[in-house]
Structures are given as structure tokens and as C-alpha cells.
Amino acid sequence: MTRAGFYSLLLLLFPVTAALYLAAAAENYSRSDFPADFVFGSGTGAYQYEGAAFEDGRAPSIWDTFAHSGHVNGVTGDVACDGYHKYKDDVKLMSDTGLEAFRISLSWSRLIPNGRGPVNPLGLQYYNKLIDDLISHGIQPHVTLHHLDLPQALESEYGGWLNRKIVKDFTAYADVCFREFGDRVSFWTTVNEANIFATGGYSEGLIAPGRCSPSIRTGCFGNSSTEPYIVGHNILLAHSATWKLYRKKYKATQKGYVGFSIYTWGMVPYSNAKEDIIATQRLKDFIIGWLIDPLIFGDYPEIVKRRAKGRIPALTKYESKQTKGSFDFIGLNFYMVFSVEDDRSLPDFDKWNFWTDVGVKIFNIDSGNTPPDQLPVMPWGLSTLLEYIKQVYGNPPIYIHENGQSLKRNGTLNDTPRVEYLRGYIGGMLDAIRNGSNTKGYFAWSFLDCLELDGYEHSFGLYYVDLDDAELKRYQKLSAIWYSNFLKGSNAISEVGENVFVSLK
């Protein structure tokens, strides 16, 4: 079904689909209900997990600069979970939990400190040991090349992702990774959350490198109306060049896969007004279509080109040909559902940005029972998103790369809301698979309580990390027990032992 066809169907069926939004996801399921080649795992990101920021030849990334400027709630990833030193213990925990796969990212500035040039032998040694240890425990490594942490050297030299020089440097970095690790790694993702990196880092100034128009945020610098589109364009060029490199140089011998990752939500109209239904589709075109359409169809969505006219780079015929079809899978990071209302108000010219191009207001959907520190459990949001991807984009292979519940770090191991969240969304995903979705894997975010955008105030981990302990001791939470039981064959509604209902504080 085309995008226009899906949109027309939504207009026709909105009153019906609105009622179906309340339908429950599959509940009475087990691991065996999923396809034989489906993979379950968890994940983390290098800057959030590794620590050892100034050890063994690692150079700063843009996240080091951003965090040390006080933008991550006054804390940094200098130590984080100290995964650089504790990875063996953590892999043992993964094995005990029953993980089938683990998603890591490589720190470009640990492997190639200056962004280009000599490879750091100690960084290479660390990743070789980590990958080997995962494999020796029967855990399939899934590797992300860029988890929002560009080497600061390239940012300082030529502006990083704002400059097309990044395409050559990123491809050369990927070449090193394929050459050194590709004999053991079969699943590669080029850039994590490419859309959020471009908007959060270059329109809102909320993540590294923290750029935006001065009118958007005090002390910010940049241009929120142009830079997100330039960065998104260069990411597409770097990704497609990397995919092409792998196909030409490594695919025949390594037989691996190279994919692309975006962040998305469930999106439904605020009302059955035609304007809100159109606005919901417009948001999908900007959040999903902006960077996925070029991979599928070879060009940006018409609405994106029209609204960002003169500010979004055009894909040339050569670039369109290179970009179209340049993926083996799409990674989706999914956490919540929004209702979407049309917004016709126009800001002052100097406050124009990516979101004013979208022209919507979004509201978190909730039954009214979810505490403010938690994410509502709306499994139908994931089901309908996967159905949309299937219908509009021809049902490409999908991996849910991130999905998890945010909770306040208060020392408790009794994270029942996280159990309910994981149980609900895995059930919602199963519904989509039973309806034909080509979803291939699910990674719970995150394995450990690691550094997040608000520092260490909230966490997503299956395992608690005691930051007050010199050894950063790990403790199993209720969610880890539930996930482990599920992975080892227990029914999803099975109870877990009451002995974990304790507090560390």
C-alpha cells in the first residue's frame, strides 16, 4: 500500500481505529511463539557504559565535550558503568540472564582517536576481547558504529556532520571496523537514531554537539532551520557509502548485514478532525519518512521538501541512486505514543526550526494511571507502527533496537513497572509479527543502569548499578528475572519470586 493509500484508509477508518487503540496486546505468550530466527537481547552505548574516558589512548568525543560543559545534569561518562574494565563480569551476567544477542556501540575516538589515521592498538584490543567474550558465551554481537559520539577532533577540524568531508572519514572508519571485527560480527548499524541526532543535536541543542539557533536556547550557536537537514543529508550519504563498501569488499566473505537506525513513536490523531489526521501523517513523514524514504524510494517525502524548501539539500540523481536500497534492515528505537494536533501558529522568523516545519503539537497519551516518572504502556502503538512500516515501505526487515521503561533511580530492585512495560511491548510486537510484520529482533534498553540524558536521575537497566560503591556493583532487578525466565521458556505471565522485592537503600 502506498503512503497515500494508507493515509486515505486512516481518514476512512479513524473512528474505528480509535476504538481499537485500547485493545490489549498478546499476553499469554512464550519465547517459542516467535519465529525460529528471531533474536532477543539487550544493549548499551559506548559513552554511556564504558567509562575509562582518558585511558589507553582514547581521545574525547563530542559527548565528552558536551557532558563536561554541564549539559548532562552536571555529570559525565568519565567512569559511567566502567564497562571498559568490568565487561567480563557483565558478559557473564548476560549469559546468566539468557541473552541471545547484545547490542554494543564502538567508540570511534577510542579506536581511531583523531577520527582518521592510526588505529589505537589498545582500543582495538578492548573491542576484540569484548566481541570474543560475547561469542564465547553464545551471545551474538550487534554493533553500532556511531552512537552519537563523533570524535571531537573531526568536530573541531571541519564541523563534523555539517561537512561532507565526514562521508569519507566515516567510510574509512567503517572499513577498519569491518576489516578488524567482521569475521565475528554479522550485524552492523551505521548511525544510531539518525533523525534524533540531527534534530536533538542541531535544532534543539539538547544532545551533543548541542547546536541550535541562539533564539532557541540561551548560549546556543548554530542554525536550527538548516543544520538538521544538512546533517541528515550527510548521514544518508555516509551510510549509503558504507553499505556500498561492505557489499563490494566484505559481503561475499563475511556474509553480514548493514542497517540504519531511527527513533520513532506511536502517532495517532488528537481528534477525528481532518486537520489532525493530516498533521499525524505529516509528523510520520518528518520523523520516519525524512530519512527512510531515501533508502526505499530514493528521495525525501514531498511534504518535507516543500516545507523545508531552500533549506534541505537536494539528493542528486547520483546520490538518489546510491542511497535507494542501501540497507539490509531498519532499526527502530521506540518508547512511547503521542497524539498529534495540527499547529497553524507561526513563530518569529529567528525561531524557525525543524519542528516549526513539522507544524504539530504532540501530547503524551496515557490512561491517567501512569506516574509522572514512568512511560505509559501502550503496546498497540508499537503494533500500529510496525503495520505502518509494513504497508508503506514494503515490509523490510526490522529490529527493535531500543525499548524500555524509565524509572527514578531510588535503589529498589522491585521494578514491577518495567516488567509490565516489557511484557506489554513484547506482546504488541508479537501481534504485529502474527499480522505479517518482518520484525527480526528485540533489544531491551538497557542491560545496566547507565548514563542517560538526565545523567543518573533515571534509568532503564535490567540490572542496578550502585554508584556509591567503589566497585560499581551490579544487582539483578525484578525485570532481569522476568526477562531471563521468558528467554528460557517460561510463559510471559509467569510470576517471579517475592525475594527480589527489596531495597538497597
Side-chain angles (χ1 to χ4, degrees):
M1 183 181 294
T2 64
R3 178 187 282 103
F6 194 92
Y7 162 67
S8 298
L9 185 64
L10 185 62
L11 278 171
L12 180 65
L13 297 180
F14 178 73
V16 177
T17 55
L20 293 177
Y21 289 152
L22 300 179
E27 293 184 351
N28 188 14
Y29 61 86
S30 67
R31 174 66 182 87
S32 62
D33 288 306
F34 289 83
D37 62 348
F38 196 91
V39 64
F40 278 97
S42 188
T44 192
Y47 186 70
Q48 298 168 269
Y49 166 71
E50 289 178 3
F54 308 105
E55 293 186 38
D56 293 345
R58 182 187 180 277
S61 74
I62 57 175
W63 264 103
D64 292 277
T65 304
F66 189 71
H68 277 267
S69 299
H71 295 299
V72 189
N73 215 7
V75 299
T76 72
D78 291 357
V79 177
C81 295
D82 197 25
Y84 187 76
H85 299 108
K86 299 180 72 66
Y87 73 91
K88 281 188 173 293
D89 293 336
D90 291 337
V91 172
K92 176 65 165 55
L93 282 181
M94 297 173 205
S95 178
D96 292 343
T97 305
L99 295 191
E100 300 159 7
F102 190 68
R103 182 170 172 256
I104 64 170
S105 72
L106 307 181
S107 169
W108 186 347
S109 59
R110 188 183 296 285
L111 192 61
I112 307 175
N114 292 321
R116 73 167 76 87
V119 174
N120 173 21
L122 293 178
L124 181 63
Q125 175 181 278
Y126 167 69
Y127 290 118
N128 269 320
K129 287 183 175 179
L130 174 57
I131 290 168
D132 286 346
D133 212 39
L134 287 168
I135 292 172
S136 70
H137 284 81
I139 300 170
Q140 186 182 75
H142 287 233
V143 175
T144 298
L145 295 172
H146 184 278
H147 198 111
L148 320 185
D149 55 351
L150 180 76
Q152 182 61 44
L154 300 183
E155 181 76 14
S156 299
E157 179 185 343
Y158 57 70
W161 286 102
L162 284 167
N163 194 310
R164 289 203 183 194
K165 291 181 180 179
I166 193 65
V167 176
K168 180 179 179 181
D169 286 337
F170 183 84
T171 309
Y173 159 59
D175 195 10
V176 170
C177 296
F178 297 152
R179 182 185 72 227
E180 298 293 342
F181 311 124
D183 59 328
R184 289 152 292 158
V185 175
S186 296
F187 295 90
W188 299 91
T189 302
T190 50
V191 178
N192 180 69
E193 292 184 352
N195 53 349
I196 293 301
F197 176 60
T199 57
Y202 296 85
S203 179
E204 302 162 74
L206 295 176
I207 62 176
R211 295 180 63 90
C212 61
S213 297
S215 59
I216 301 295
R217 189 173 298 279
T218 303
C220 221
F221 57 91
N223 188 327
S224 297
S225 71
T226 60
E227 291 187 2
Y229 299 113
I230 295 169
V231 169
H233 193 81
N234 289 338
I235 287 174
L236 284 171
L237 299 183
H239 163 81
S240 59
T242 299
W243 182 87
K244 184 177 180 180
L245 166 73
Y246 189 86
R247 282 271 163 160
K248 181 178 179 180
K249 192 173 179 180
Y250 297 101
K251 180 72 173 181
T253 55
Q254 296 182 1
K255 297 178 172 55
Y257 307 91
V258 178
F260 188 77
S261 162
I262 63 168
Y263 183 103
T264 188
W265 317 293
M267 294 171 257
V268 297
Y270 180 75
S271 74
N272 61 1
K274 183 178 179 179
E275 292 80 4
D276 290 346
I277 296 174
I278 293 173
T280 302
Q281 182 57 52
R282 187 166 66 244
L283 180 61
K284 290 178 181 177
D285 287 339
F286 270 85
I287 294 301
I288 302 172
W290 170 33
L291 297 182
I292 298 301
D293 271 33
L295 299 180
I296 305 290
F297 307 120
D299 200 2
Y300 297 115
E302 287 301 320
I303 188 66
V304 175
K305 290 192 294 182
R306 186 163 67 248
R307 289 200 163 217
K309 185 176 181 180
R311 292 177 286 112
I312 185 169
L315 283 161
T316 67
K317 288 185 177 179
Y318 172 79
E319 292 168 349
S320 175
K321 183 178 179 180
Q322 176 170 285
T323 304
K324 185 177 180 180
S326 64
F327 71 98
D328 297 312
F329 63 85
I330 294 171
L332 300 178
N333 295 358
F334 181 97
Y335 289 93
M336 64 190 80
V337 180
F338 287 119
S339 65
V340 184
E341 184 180 19
D342 185 41
D343 183 5
R344 297 185 178 183
S345 62
L346 295 177
D348 296 336
F349 179 77
D350 65 347
K351 293 184 179 180
W352 205 268
N353 60 79
F354 177 88
W355 289 103
T356 54
D357 284 340
V358 182
V360 301
K361 298 177 182 178
I362 56 176
F363 305 92
N364 199 2
I365 296 179
D366 184 20
S367 64
N369 298 320
T370 304
D373 284 339
Q374 298 175 22
L375 301 175
V377 181
M378 301 277 178
W380 53 262
L382 180 55
S383 301
T384 54
L385 171 66
L386 293 174
E387 179 66 17
Y388 179 81
I389 298 291
K390 183 185 80 173
Q391 295 283 357
V392 172
Y393 295 108
N395 209 15
I398 296 291
Y399 286 84
I400 306 301
H401 271 166
E402 292 184 20
N403 178 242
Q405 175 65 279
S406 172
L407 296 174
K408 186 83 171 176
R409 284 180 62 102
N410 58 11
T412 183
L413 302 180
N414 176 20
D415 58 344
T416 303
R418 183 169 290 115
V419 173
E420 296 304 318
Y421 185 99
L422 296 175
R423 182 162 57 193
Y425 278 106
I426 292 174
M429 179 178 62
L430 179 58
D431 285 344
I433 293 170
R434 286 171 169 169
N435 200 37
S437 172
N438 194 18
T439 304
K440 297 289 190 180
Y442 175 92
F443 293 79
W445 184 267
S446 56
F447 188 67
L448 301 176
D449 288 344
C450 53
L451 180 71
E452 297 291 347
L453 291 178
D454 67 352
Y456 298 101
E457 291 296 312
H458 290 80
S459 65
F460 291 81
L462 303 174
Y463 284 81
Y464 177 83
V465 178
D466 189 350
L467 299 177
D468 296 325
D469 178 67
E471 298 299 318
L472 297 175
K473 187 173 180 180
R474 282 72 158 135
Y475 293 87
Q476 186 183 51
K477 297 182 188 177
L478 181 67
S479 58
I481 295 174
W482 179 85
Y483 198 40
S484 179
N485 287 344
F486 165 69
L487 293 175
K488 294 172 183 178
S490 296
N491 189 284
I493 61 172
S494 298
E495 296 297 325
V496 293
E498 294 183 359
N499 60 316
V500 298
F501 290 81
V502 297
S503 174
L504 293 173
K505 302 297 182 184

